[in-house]
Amino acid sequence: MRATARAQPNIALIKYWGKSDVARNLPAVGSISITLDTLYTTMSVEFDSAIDEDRLTVNGVVDAAMLPRVSQCLDAVCGRGRQQASITSQCNFPIAAGLASSSSAFAALVVAADAAQGGSRDRAGLASLAGLASGSAARSLYGGFCELENEGGDIVVRSLRLGSEWPLKVVVAVTEAGPKAVGSTEAMEISRKTSPFYERWVEQQGDDLAAAREAILDRDFDRLTEVAEHNCLKMHSVMWASRPPMIYWNHVTLECMQVVRDLRAQGTQVFFTIDAGPQVKAVCSPEHEQLVADALSGVSGVKHIMVSGLGAGAAPVEDE
Ligand code: PMV
């Protein structure tokens, strides 16, 4: 009744922003992402008839705030009549700071919980359970490049390409280590209700998904660059025009974006993307990884740099 799983966070190139159904956590738009390899969450779940309530520790510290979401996710995987569980999570990168830590956490949680009960579910089933807890987590069940769609209330994730088929690199520039000001669920609802750009955002998403999907299938870096930066800036425009506005960037974020654009003007294959936080993720071709990492670490105010390739999806690992 104990199992451990590991999952990597994913970074959306075509973003999920907005829900069509808050109670069922269904996205209003599809999304396309890449799953990383060197950043990960390792999650152990042990069902134990001797304990009378779930317990959660994150990086060695009891986490009462996160426990209700975790318990609810275990109920979804194992049923409400399940035994109580002791859950231990270890994350090797900053949590809740716009680095998609909830995607790796909930992907690892559903895989570990299912494995602890004999591992009867397939990847698609686990992805839709992870998506109930955190929309982006469904994508971390898959490696490389994948696309998520809400097909009439069912979350469907499809692999577009393996990471080994187009081994791009991601350089993450951490510009602020603390947790984000407004969580994504609340922020998405503020945008849906108040941003004058929200409807257009939802309407146009199909075009951006099609362009990115084709660019990935053709391994066309320039086309992916154009649509990914456009989609990222459009999502942030929706946020900026919300009431109250949500501005996740700081001046270092802007500085990093400029460095990426300057590198590109000099012929480097690189583009940026930014989620609900101030960190900049620079996606680049493998031969330009060092150049991009050196340029971003040279930006004053960048706290540290993390470099990752593309990895496989969430999977059980040996118990530690
Ligand atoms: O999965 P959530 O609820 O943390 O939302 C993710 C939102 C973005 O990271 C901004 C975009 C995305 O598609 O990952």
Side-chain angles (χ1 to χ4, degrees), residues 12 15-17 19 31 102 134-136 139 184 188 235 275-276:
K15 310 287 188 187
Y16 150 48
W17 193 253
K19 297 182 200 279
S31 52
S102 67
S134 161
S136 57
R139 301 184 308 231
S184 55
M188 285 181 198
M235 177 185 76
D275 292 298

Side-chain angles (χ1 to χ4, degrees), residues 28-40:
V29 290
S31 52
I32 289 179
S33 62
I34 44 178
T35 300
L36 305 183
D37 61 358
T38 51
L39 277 52
Y40 54 80

